[in-house]
Amino acid sequence: MPVNVIDQSVSTRPATPSAAAIHDLPGGAAAGRALAVLRILLGGILLWAFADKVFGLGFATPTAKSWLAGGSPTEGYLGSLKGSLAGAFQPLAGNPAVDAAFMLGLLLVGAALVLGVALRAAAVGGTALMFLMWLTALPIKTNPVMDEHIIYAAAMIALAATGAGRVWGFGHRWTERLAAAPTAMRAALT
């Protein structure tokens, strides 16, 4: 007669790879607050770029060229590239699907960072977005390899790895809600 076996794939580890509490980091609570500030500021940069491109707030995007006024968030930048990969990116300028993907990326990654949720998914998506933006900037004029896009990507990875959403964010609640979700979904959204 077969014996019922408990699924051995269920782990006693917490649902996120950032299982070590932020308070266990060197610096303790102060480190957690510093990472929370970094997370919120980085998310704010992305949400600001999104808002400026949607509404044309007059900083990087004039009102007449806003997305709401019919402008393209990618046309001006991608269309004016002069770097070594310009030929690969210029045909994407003004493409509605590319515009929508770019804007959705800014919104979702920025919101996840500000709220402190889905930091692993935000790190993956944000790193992909930053990598593509880094490629469009090649060759970099001030440094042969590094620019702010690489720093932003590294910061997003560090924020996800340390579970920075648990300080001044909804990371704890997010993890609790995901505890009941299927394993594959939980891994993708933490």
Side-chain angles (χ1 to χ4, degrees):
M1 179 166 222
V3 176
N4 239 349
V5 178
I6 297 175
D7 182 6
Q8 297 298 319
S9 66
V10 176
S11 173
T12 57
R13 295 178 328 169
T16 66
S18 53
I22 282 193
H23 297 291
D24 293 340
L25 293 172
R33 288 189 297 272
L35 289 170
V37 168
L38 174 63
R39 174 180 56 79
I40 294 165
L41 290 174
L42 185 53
I45 288 171
L46 297 175
L47 288 177
W48 176 259
F50 172 81
D52 188 48
K53 289 173 185 348
V54 168
F55 302 109
L57 301 175
F59 290 86
T61 307
T63 305
K65 292 189 176 188
S66 73
W67 206 18
L68 288 178
S72 166
T74 62
E75 188 172 20
Y77 177 72
L78 291 178
S80 66
L81 293 177
K82 295 187 182 359
S84 54
L85 296 175
F89 287 103
Q90 284 177 336
L92 302 174
N95 180 317
V98 173
D99 288 346
F102 175 65
M103 295 300 284
L104 189 61
L106 288 175
L107 176 63
L108 292 178
V109 174
L113 289 169
V114 168
L115 296 173
V117 299
L119 292 184
R120 189 183 315 164
V124 170
T127 298
L129 181 65
M130 293 300 126
F131 178 71
L132 289 170
M133 293 177 76
W134 175 77
L135 284 177
T136 66
L138 292 177
I140 301 166
K141 293 178 182 23
T142 58
N143 185 308
V145 178
M146 299 291 286
D147 77 348
E148 68 274 9
H149 299 103
I150 300 297
I151 304 304
Y152 291 166
M156 285 184 240
I157 292 166
L159 292 169
T162 58
R166 291 177 288 167
V167 176
W168 299 339
F170 296 102
H172 277 301
R173 289 186 186 147
W174 182 260
T175 303
E176 289 169 4
R177 298 242 182 215
L178 286 177
T183 304
M185 182 185 297
R186 187 171 48 244
L189 295 174
T190 56

